Amino acid sequence: MEQPNLEYINQLAGDNQEFKSKIIAILKKELPEEIELYKNYINNTNYVLAAGSVHKLKHKISILGLEKSYYIAEEFEENLKENSTHLQSDFESILKRMQDFLDTL
């Protein structure tokens, strides 16, 4: 399974360490908040709003270089719109890997 990385962030930031640090700080702040919101929607079976959360989280998935995971998230988002939780465990595994990775930075 693919692992989160900083390749895209490094490309964006170039030699600007301050910019890189700001992006990482934003991810570290926003990711747990967005995951919590997503989980609340899932727990309340509000799949339309959960799909919106997944949509927002997809951006962070791509920023962390998870190309294959992005497609899983995209499919999961569509499933939620159809009131299906198929791929939920796969998606939540992606979120855990992202959170674990950011916790190491």
Side-chain angles (χ1 to χ4, degrees):
M1 191 158 273
E2 67 184 340
Q3 294 299 314
N5 60 73
L6 297 176
E7 289 177 31
Y8 180 70
I9 292 171
N10 288 334
Q11 287 176 356
L12 280 178
D15 292 333
N16 189 335
Q17 285 300 321
E18 184 179 340
F19 181 68
K20 179 180 173 180
S21 295
K22 284 182 180 181
I23 292 173
I24 292 170
I26 289 168
L27 288 171
K28 286 178 138 183
K29 179 185 182 300
E30 290 182 357
L31 184 64
E33 295 169 355
E34 290 181 17
I35 290 172
E36 188 64 33
L37 191 59
Y38 155 78
K39 286 182 178 180
N40 286 337
Y41 292 143
I42 286 291
N43 290 338
N44 291 316
T45 62
N46 193 332
Y47 298 143
V48 172
L49 291 177
S53 286
V54 172
H55 183 79
K56 285 182 73 176
L57 285 158
K58 284 190 318 188
H59 299 290
K60 289 177 176 57
I61 290 169
S62 75
I63 287 171
L64 290 174
L66 298 167
E67 294 177 29
K68 293 174 186 165
S69 297
Y70 181 89
Y71 294 108
I72 292 169
E74 196 168 55
E75 191 172 338
F76 180 51
E77 178 185 358
E78 291 305 314
N79 291 346
L80 287 169
K81 290 177 184 175
E82 302 289 325
N83 288 320
S84 167
T85 58
H86 178 67
L87 297 177
Q88 179 178 348
S89 62
D90 293 338
F91 179 73
E92 290 177 3
S93 173
I94 294 164
L95 296 179
K96 172 137 179 49
R97 272 183 285 137
M98 291 168 57
Q99 187 65 63
D100 290 348
F101 175 73
L102 289 174
D103 288 345
T104 67
L105 300 178

